[in-house]
Amino acid sequence: MMDRVPAAPGLSCSIRSQYDVIVVGAGVAGAFAALLAARRGLQVLLVDRQRFPRSKVCGCCLNRRAQQILQRAGLDAGLRALNPAPADAVQLRHGHRSLQISVPGGLAISRGVLDQWLVDEAVLAGAQFLDDLTATVLPLSSRPAFSGPAGLSDPTLRTVELRNNSLKTLTTASVVLVCDGLGHPSLQRLAGFESVPRNGARLGLGAMFPRGAADDWIPRHQILMSLARQGYAGIVQVENGQLVLAAAVDATALQKSQSPLACLSKILEAAGCPVPEALPSASIRGTIPLTRTSSRLCDHRLMVLGDAAGYVEPFTGEGMAWALSAAALAAPIVAMAVSGGWSTATEKQFLTEFEAAIIREQRLCGLLSKVLRHSALLSLTFAGFRLFPRLGGQLANRISRLPASLDQTQ
């Protein structure tokens, strides 16, 4: 693990008054965006509100698209050194029926390990990383009226407030990339950037725990998806034999259950699956409503990436692939904006490429999510996939293919 600058009273000394790029959020999208920007010779500050290394329980699968993007960035060997577990198929269980869909080459790795590795790579590329800091992007109209040798007098720069229990300071950037996850809290001061959950959006539940002696029913190289009326729960083995459970559950079902564990147990049992041996003693974490849209993805010298840009329920690693895709698309646009200035053409280019590479795929996953909510449609889907065995694999390949717009990026 790379050395990081600690969040301490003297931290303000290490924060520059101006950067080329400030990246808010050090998850997959943020860390990868910081890495690519630093490789282009830009002065990059990457910040996260949590203290690293930190655990993060959520989906942890890397599909073919995600791996191709990392490979194009020269990170394939580093990824393999993390010993990710194979996850080359999805086994769907509904009632007492099962269906297996091939997803060749899939990998599973815990988010704590993956995110820390990407942060370390960004630091190696020259980015500055500060954790345990809450970032808030300020409106252009509220930028302090002061100037200095670093160029803070430029009214077009973006100002970001950084704070924790011992520090509150301001810094500016030519471009700010917001990658701080569901709800993008760093944009709370900006009008028009609401993150709106869709009606009936499910809540996320997740846990990581060791594989038990009684868990042989959980396949070792597959993603097991238990589908039920209350939601669905996916279980996959990651590095070091650990199991990760990531679920999307109906809010009403969770409210009626005695606990998150009870809700997950109902979903597993409805799909004919027992409760994993160590799940009752694991720490189960929840999220705000998952499926949501962001009213805006761009503003002057500001772009929103990753889950902060909107979210649909993913299945086999699409979420991380979209995050990496957004970072790869943003990198050349950021470099041009830093060197040549921001314009409406900059925003149009980003939005056009984002639509083609990510939003279209999210719509397809949104349609699949609706299918999973209806037992009759799900039964028809099972029947169709059994009649046409290649259909499931073709659908998985369609979702995980690398868009043409990403071929020449990075």
Side-chain angles (χ1 to χ4, degrees):
M1 179 170 43
M2 297 297 297
D3 292 336
R4 58 175 175 76
V5 178
L11 179 61
S12 57
C13 300
S14 66
I15 298 176
R16 298 169 56 92
S17 57
Q18 182 178 333
Y19 293 87
D20 292 326
V21 185
I22 296 176
V23 184
V24 181
V28 170
F32 192 53
L35 184 159
L36 296 179
R39 284 184 175 179
R40 291 174 177 266
L42 304 179
Q43 294 177 339
V44 180
L45 173 63
L46 172 64
V47 298
D48 197 278
R49 60 183 172 181
Q50 295 190 20
R51 189 172 180 82
F52 275 58
R54 57 98 169 94
S55 62
K56 185 175 183 180
V57 178
C58 60
C60 56
C61 295
L62 290 169
N63 64 13
R64 185 179 61 182
R65 182 202 286 203
Q67 293 178 60
Q68 285 180 307
I69 294 172
L70 292 173
Q71 184 178 30
R72 288 167 183 263
L75 298 173
D76 185 62
L79 174 63
R80 300 291 170 176
L82 302 177
N83 297 315
D88 51 16
V90 179
Q91 185 180 142
L92 303 176
R93 294 194 184 184
H94 174 59
H96 294 284
R97 295 169 295 177
S98 65
L99 177 69
Q100 185 165 306
I101 299 174
S102 175
V103 286
L107 297 174
I109 184 167
S110 63
R111 284 296 302 276
V113 169
L114 178 66
D115 292 4
Q116 182 65 62
W117 168 64
L118 287 173
V119 167
D120 291 345
E121 291 293 333
V123 172
L124 279 173
Q128 181 183 2
F129 174 54
L130 302 175
D131 60 357
D132 192 26
L133 278 178
T134 297
T136 303
V137 183
L138 301 184
L140 290 173
S141 59
S142 67
R143 200 195 66 79
F146 59 85
S147 62
L152 284 171
S153 58
D154 184 348
T156 70
L157 296 181
R158 274 288 176 185
T159 302
V160 177
E161 178 188 270
L162 303 174
R163 68 185 186 279
N164 60 18
N165 291 333
S166 58
L167 168 73
K168 182 177 179 180
T169 189
L170 300 176
T171 185
T172 61
S174 297
V175 178
V176 173
L177 300 179
V178 173
C179 314
D180 55 349
L182 297 175
H184 49 55
S186 67
L187 297 180
Q188 59 186 319
R189 298 278 301 276
L190 301 189
F193 276 90
E194 293 79 11
S195 177
V196 182
R198 295 183 184 175
N199 291 333
R202 286 170 165 167
L203 306 176
L205 292 176
M208 185 165 67
F209 46 90
R211 176 186 283 272
D215 293 334
D216 286 343
W217 59 275
I218 301 174
R220 294 182 181 275
H221 296 156
Q222 299 179 11
I223 305 166
L224 176 66
M225 296 286 292
S226 299
L227 311 172
R229 177 178 53 81
Q230 301 93 337
Y232 63 85
I235 304 175
V236 67
Q237 180 172 305
V238 295
E239 75 283 355
N240 300 324
Q242 295 285 102
L243 296 175
V244 169
L245 180 149
V249 303
D250 291 337
T252 53
L254 183 58
Q255 291 170 356
K256 292 179 180 179
S257 300
Q258 295 179 342
S259 66
L261 174 62
C263 184
L264 292 173
S265 298
K266 289 179 182 178
I267 293 173
L268 292 167
E269 291 166 3
C273 299
V275 175
E277 184 177 323
L279 181 59
S281 59
S283 173
I284 300 174
R285 302 180 184 179
T287 72
I288 61 177
L290 293 172
T291 301
R292 56 181 55 236
T293 56
S294 181
S295 51
R296 295 182 68 182
L297 300 180
C298 257
D299 194 16
H300 183 71
R301 297 189 180 276
L302 174 68
M303 291 188 282
V304 186
L305 310 178
D307 295 349
Y311 194 84
V312 300
E313 299 167 9
F315 303 99
T316 59
E318 293 82 13
M320 287 201 284
W322 295 330
L324 293 168
S325 298
L329 288 173
I333 299 174
V334 166
M336 288 189 294
V338 171
S339 62
W342 191 270
S343 67
T344 55
T346 306
E347 298 182 23
K348 183 177 180 180
Q349 179 184 357
F350 172 70
L351 292 173
T352 299
E353 295 184 4
F354 193 90
E355 165 77 23
I358 298 169
I359 293 180
R360 291 177 186 174
E361 308 297 336
Q362 289 181 333
R363 290 178 183 144
L364 178 56
C365 278
L367 178 61
L368 292 176
S369 176
K370 292 179 180 179
V371 170
L372 295 184
R373 290 173 179 260
H374 300 281
S375 181
L377 290 176
L378 194 54
S379 297
L380 288 174
T381 301
F382 269 54
F385 283 170
R386 286 198 177 93
L387 284 174
F388 304 98
R390 295 183 180 180
L391 185 60
Q394 291 173 345
L395 180 60
N397 288 334
R398 167 67 178 79
I399 294 174
S400 65
R401 67 180 176 82
L402 189 71
S405 57
L406 287 172
D407 277 346
Q408 304 301 322
T409 60
Q410 303 174 32

